[in-house]
Every structure is written in structure tokens, then in C-alpha cells.
Amino acid sequence: MYLTRFRINTVLRDARRLLSSPRTMHAAVMNAFPDVLPTDTETPRVLWRVDRNAKAEVFLYIVSPAKPDLTHMVEQAGWKEQPNWQTYDYGPFLERLATGERWAFRLTANPVHSIRRKDGEPTKVTAHVTPRHQAQWLLQRQESAGFRVLEKPEEQRLLPGGDEHELLVHDRRSQAFHKPGQDAKAKGKNRVSLVTATFDGRLEVVDAEALRRTLTQGLGRAKAYGCGLMTLAPAE
């Protein structure tokens, strides 16, 4: 597995077009892997995430089973006079993960749940829209994903409830677009509504093998649209 970071030149019009559409960004990312077939369920999938750290500091992260060739992205959204991306062998890092380690993490995800509005009706996938419910969505999945979000000391908790963990929910977005290749009559049925949230926090590894799966296979839904990719960094 490989981890790639690409810095996006937000001044360029094509870069802004990519950033405005998860569908367009997905196509650009997949163009970096000519040998990866979208229908291949045997090969680990390609995960990606956009980090908007500041207006002029935007990065695209990719985790993939093969090295990407992002030359086309340089032409659309990079700088031609300097290196635009770095790719690292992710395997050694993943293999070293051990139970009990503590890391800072970032995850952009599509926090949803299934509800039934009336008795007898089928369940419907519905997005969580408040920071508290979005945080709860992650906390409900942490153990099966191989980690535990650390809790704050009591003296650092600012609220009587909902502030127990070292977890920040931010960059919450709601977008809507149509799936590609649909005719005009089918557009209403193939409209994608996407709610995303970015989680920053600190975690402890409770199951190293499960966490490796989370880091390489993603967490939650809408992985094709920039959700599910968790990355780790040394915790201060």
C-alpha cells in the first residue's frame, strides 16, 4: 500500500472545479491508476481525502494499492516548476502499529444512519447533521475499527455533556450532484446528497489488525466521494 500527498494550487480554475465536485475529483484520482478497474472487488480500493488547512493550503491525500501517476493533476491543479506530490511506502508503518500506541488522527467521513419514519416502511439512509450526532456516529464505530478515542481529563471538559473526548468535528459540508452517465429522465432518481464532516482527535490502538483494515479500507460510506480515509500522525 502507498500513501500520497498532493498539494493543490487553489489559484487555478481547474483546481477550484475539482474541489467543488467530489464526483469530478474522484474521476481525476482514478485516472492516476490505469490498471485499477472500478469493478475489481479483489484489489484494495483507492481512498482519498481533501484537507483544507487554509485558503491557499489544500492537500489531496490518497491511499492506494499501487503508486499513482498524478501528472495529469499537475496540469490541472498543480505547479509545473516544482514537485507536486510525494508517495510513500505505507506498508512498514502499517506493520509497526501496535496495541496501546497513541496517535493523533484525522478522518473525513459521511456520518449516516438508517431510520424508519413509519411502521411498515423500509428504512432510509439519513445523514447526521449536528456535530454532536456526528461525533456519536464515530464513537459508536471506534471499537470495531480498532481504536478508542481518548477521553479528556475532567478539568478540561467545558460542557456538562458531549465534551468527554479529545475529538473535534469541523469542516462540515453538504453537497448534491448527479451520478455520471445518467440520462435526463433518470436524474431525479440518481441524485446524490452528500453530508461530510472532518474529525480531528487523539486515539489509542486497541486492535492493531482492525485499525490496519480501517486505514486501508476506509470507514463508513461514500468512499468514492472522498470519505472514509483516516490518517495518523504522532500525538503530542
Side-chain angles (χ1 to χ4, degrees):
M1 298 296 292
Y2 295 90
L3 173 65
T4 300
R5 186 179 76 164
F6 180 98
R7 184 171 183 180
I8 296 176
N9 185 351
T10 57
V11 173
L12 300 179
R13 180 183 300 177
D14 282 345
R16 295 195 298 270
R17 180 177 59 84
L18 287 172
L19 292 172
S20 68
S21 171
R23 191 188 74 182
T24 304
M25 182 66 83
H26 170 68
V29 169
M30 295 310 298
N31 281 342
F33 304 95
D35 296 327
V36 176
L37 300 177
T39 56
D40 185 359
T41 59
E42 300 298 325
T43 303
R45 71 179 305 146
V46 175
L47 302 173
W48 61 271
R49 186 185 77 219
V50 172
D51 283 6
R52 297 171 171 85
N53 299 329
K55 186 175 182 180
E57 187 178 281
V58 179
F59 292 96
L60 169 68
Y61 287 88
I62 302 172
V63 166
S64 56
K67 286 185 177 181
D69 181 356
L70 296 172
T71 304
H72 65 293
M73 289 283 288
V74 174
E75 297 172 354
Q76 290 180 286
W79 288 267
K80 296 181 180 180
E81 295 80 15
Q82 62 186 54
N84 286 263
W85 80 87
Q86 302 84 35
T87 296
Y88 307 94
D89 185 354
Y90 208 16
F93 173 79
L94 295 171
E95 291 172 3
R96 288 196 302 269
L97 283 176
T99 299
E101 292 179 343
R102 294 188 172 189
W103 296 91
F105 73 88
R106 173 168 288 184
L107 165 72
T108 293
N110 172 224
V112 297
H113 62 139
S114 296
I115 62 172
R116 181 178 286 109
R117 299 185 184 278
K118 296 181 181 179
D119 291 341
E121 287 188 353
T123 57
K124 182 179 180 180
V125 176
T126 305
H128 289 298
V129 295
T130 67
R132 182 166 184 172
H133 285 115
Q134 290 170 341
Q136 192 61 35
W137 173 90
L138 178 62
L139 295 173
Q140 290 171 348
R141 288 157 177 79
Q142 58 180 344
E143 295 290 338
S144 61
F147 64 90
R148 177 180 65 86
V149 178
L150 297 179
E151 294 187 3
K152 297 178 181 177
E154 289 190 12
E155 62 272 14
Q156 295 181 12
R157 301 177 186 181
L158 304 179
L159 301 173
D163 189 38
E164 300 89 352
H165 296 88
E166 295 190 30
L167 180 64
L168 173 66
V169 184
H170 64 102
D171 198 17
R172 298 161 54 238
R173 296 171 180 265
S174 180
Q175 296 174 285
F177 50 91
H178 292 102
K179 294 181 180 179
Q182 307 293 342
D183 58 43
K185 294 181 180 179
K187 280 188 176 181
K189 296 182 180 180
N190 292 281
R191 183 176 176 84
V192 177
S193 297
L194 182 66
V195 172
T196 63
T198 297
F199 303 88
D200 283 346
R202 297 176 72 242
L203 62 78
E204 179 179 329
V205 182
V206 297
D207 184 335
E209 187 58 35
L211 183 55
R212 290 186 192 100
R213 288 195 300 269
T214 299
L215 295 176
T216 56
Q217 298 179 16
L219 183 62
R221 299 166 64 100
K223 297 181 180 71
Y225 300 126
C227 297
L229 173 56
M230 172 183 279
T231 52
L232 305 181
E236 295 182 0

